[in-house]
């Protein structure tokens, strides 16, 4: 039997809505193109999600699938759900048929469910990647249709699950923090040889972290610690001026497009515990204090558990975080260089930069199998 011609592999990727779904999807697409430059890659996404901008920017065709949230209560949306789902499945089915897809790869989110159902009806192999330690509804459904289920975390409970890690964007996958430190300091106007705290809470920021660190800002600067604080779009914090004795600065920005530089300039991160955040910080060897989001199903606590148990970070309850806690816990940690070095080494040892390639292995295996 001849080996399949992978130079003409045809793949449909389905996922979107948030960065947590879109970034791993695009990282997988890039890894597939590195492996198979002639691959035909199409993406199913929503008109409202981050993918509506990022997917076309990366040069991949986007097929918009109607957003169909699962109804949580018996109301008018529940009555409209069956018809809306049928239309979404039909849109996904056309994309699969028009692209003559050999495999459908789902990353969860609103578009994944119709993609899985359409692929199953068409007899097209399915590969699933679950980002979080606690799987979402779409991937719990999709895992019933395939034995090719990839997870970020070993603790994720899905049938046939194989841990591959989280596909990382290229600038993070290849980041050398030490080599980029000079450029990072120049980008943000920060000093060399000064302990640096990076604070961020995702694109929308985290109000609890914002208030706590800003409230302790003067004490951090007085101790010679400089702060790079990404507050989130539309959020501002009161910023102290440079300390007159130490010269340390507090830089607050709503966001940055260069998280690679932010990681390179930092000695410690204070952040939430989304799967992408946890995996990126571990991969680049940046120790962190993780403050899981206190709402939802507790997935952020589970996301951070493995790297914390490995010694690469600390896990703190949201309710404990205030200015006094920053002064009493975070500041002493920033002043303990040897401990930070041990934590950084533990994070890097636990981190994983090759997840996208392992996921591509599963995709190519599925594409080369029998339809």
């Amino acid at each position: 039997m001849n080996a399949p011609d992978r130079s003409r592999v045809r793949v449909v990727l389905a996922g979107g809505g948030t960065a947590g779904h879109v970034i791993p999807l695009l990282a997988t697409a890039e890894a597939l193109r590195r492996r198979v430059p002639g691959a035909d890659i199409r993406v199913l996404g929503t008109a409202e999600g981050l993918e509506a901008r990022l997917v076309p920017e990366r040069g991949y065709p986007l097929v918009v699938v109607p957003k169909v949230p699962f109804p949580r209560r018996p109301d008018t949306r529940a009555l409209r759900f069956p018809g809306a789902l049928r239309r979404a499945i039909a849109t996904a089915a056309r994309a699969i048929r028009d692209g003559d897809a050999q495999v459908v790869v789902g990353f969860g989110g609103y578009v994944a469910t119709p993609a899985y159902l359409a692929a199953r009806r068409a007899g097209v192999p399915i590969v699933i990647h679950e980002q979080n330690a606690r799987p979402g509804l779409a991937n719990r459904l999709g895992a019933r249709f395939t034995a090719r289920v990839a997870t970020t975390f070993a603790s994720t409970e899905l049938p046939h699950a194989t841990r591959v890690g989280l596909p990382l964007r290229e600038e993070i996958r290849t980041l050398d923090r030490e080599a980029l430190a000079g450029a990072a300091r120049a980008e943000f106007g920060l000093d060399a040889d000064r302990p640096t705290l990076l604070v961020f809470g995702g694109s929308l920021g985290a109000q609890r972290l914002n208030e706590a660190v800003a409230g302790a800002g003067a004490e951090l600067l007085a101790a010679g610690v400089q702060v790079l604080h990404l507050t989130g779009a539309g959020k501002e914090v009161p910023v102290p001026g440079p300390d007159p004795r130490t010269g340390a600065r507090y830089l607050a920005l709503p966001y940055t497009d260069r998280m690679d530089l932010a990681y390179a300039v930092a000695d410690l991160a204070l952040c939430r515990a989304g799967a992408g955040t946890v995996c990126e910080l571990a991969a680049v060897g940046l120790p962190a204090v993780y403050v899981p989001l206190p709402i939802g199903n507790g997935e952020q606590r589970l996301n951070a558990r493995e790297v914390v148990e490995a010694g690469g970070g600390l896990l703190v309850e949201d309710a404990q975080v205030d200015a006094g806690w920053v002064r009493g816990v975070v500041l002493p940690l920033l002043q303990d260089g040897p401990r930070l070095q041990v934590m950084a080494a533990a994070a890097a040892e636990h981190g994983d930069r090759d997840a996208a390639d392992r996921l591509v292995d599963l995709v190519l295996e599925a594409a080369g199998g029998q339809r």
Side-chain angles (χ1 to χ4, degrees):
M1 180 176 178
N2 293 329
D5 181 4
R6 288 178 172 174
S7 67
R8 301 173 62 84
V9 67
R10 300 177 300 279
V11 179
V12 168
L13 306 177
T18 66
H21 295 131
V22 179
I23 298 302
L25 181 154
L26 288 172
T28 303
E30 291 169 2
L32 182 57
R33 278 278 170 85
R34 287 196 302 270
R35 187 88 64 87
V36 186
D40 183 309
I41 301 172
R42 303 174 186 220
V43 178
L44 303 182
T46 67
E48 303 88 355
L50 192 62
E51 67 274 18
R53 175 174 63 86
L54 291 184
V55 169
E57 282 182 359
R58 299 291 181 91
Y60 301 107
L62 176 69
V63 177
V64 174
V65 176
K67 183 177 176 179
V68 187
F70 282 92
R72 302 292 181 179
R73 61 189 67 182
D75 55 17
T76 55
R77 284 177 294 185
L79 294 175
R80 294 194 296 267
F81 176 75
L85 181 59
R86 283 194 297 271
R87 290 189 291 274
I89 293 171
T91 301
R94 281 194 299 273
I96 293 169
R97 183 177 61 251
D98 292 348
D100 191 23
Q102 294 170 285
V103 58
V104 170
V105 187
F107 294 83
Y110 293 117
V111 301
T113 295
Y116 297 150
L117 293 171
R120 187 189 187 206
R121 292 180 184 179
V124 175
I126 297 169
V127 175
I128 290 174
H129 184 273
E130 173 55 51
Q131 174 203 16
N132 287 298
R134 182 164 286 162
L137 184 59
N139 282 348
R140 293 204 304 270
L141 172 66
R144 297 166 60 185
F145 308 150
T146 180
R148 295 182 178 94
V149 178
T151 65
T152 298
F153 301 102
S155 60
T156 302
E157 295 183 359
L158 280 174
H160 315 295
T162 298
R163 181 190 177 277
V164 302
L166 184 72
L168 301 176
R169 44 191 164 164
E170 186 67 5
E171 65 269 25
I172 303 301
R173 186 184 73 86
T174 59
L175 176 61
D176 182 333
R177 291 177 56 224
E178 184 176 353
L180 204 59
R185 287 192 292 267
E187 171 74 14
F188 297 114
L190 297 173
D191 297 332
D193 303 320
R194 188 186 293 280
T196 305
L197 175 64
L198 170 64
V199 185
F200 64 103
S203 60
L204 298 179
Q207 194 62 28
R208 170 81 70 172
L209 304 187
N210 286 353
E211 293 175 355
V213 179
E219 289 85 352
L220 290 169
L221 300 187
V225 172
Q226 59 191 0
V227 180
L228 173 57
H229 190 159
L230 307 177
T231 62
K235 293 182 172 66
E236 296 182 359
V237 298
V239 177
D243 185 86
R245 183 177 60 84
T246 68
R249 296 181 57 231
Y250 193 122
L251 177 62
L253 303 170
Y255 64 91
T256 179
D257 290 329
R258 293 299 305 271
M259 284 303 294
D260 55 332
L261 295 180
Y263 293 160
V265 81
D267 297 289
L268 178 71
L270 174 59
C271 52
R272 292 300 192 192
T277 295
V278 171
C279 293
E280 288 190 352
L281 292 176
V284 304
L286 179 58
V289 179
Y290 296 104
V291 184
L293 195 67
I295 59 175
N297 62 7
E299 66 185 27
Q300 288 204 354
R301 166 175 282 278
L302 294 177
N303 291 343
R305 185 176 65 186
E306 292 179 13
V307 69
V308 169
E309 289 177 350
L314 304 178
L315 192 64
V316 179
E317 297 294 338
D318 183 82
Q320 298 178 23
V321 176
D322 58 19
W325 172 84
V326 172
R327 288 188 289 266
V329 175
V330 178
L331 178 54
L333 180 55
L334 280 158
Q335 294 172 315
D336 190 345
R339 186 182 178 193
L340 288 177
Q341 289 179 0
V342 170
M343 291 177 67
E349 179 69 21
H350 178 78
D352 192 339
R353 297 180 183 238
D354 300 321
D357 288 319
R358 285 193 288 274
L359 184 56
V360 168
D361 288 340
L362 285 178
V363 173
L364 295 177
E365 174 189 284
Q370 296 298 314
R371 295 282 294 272

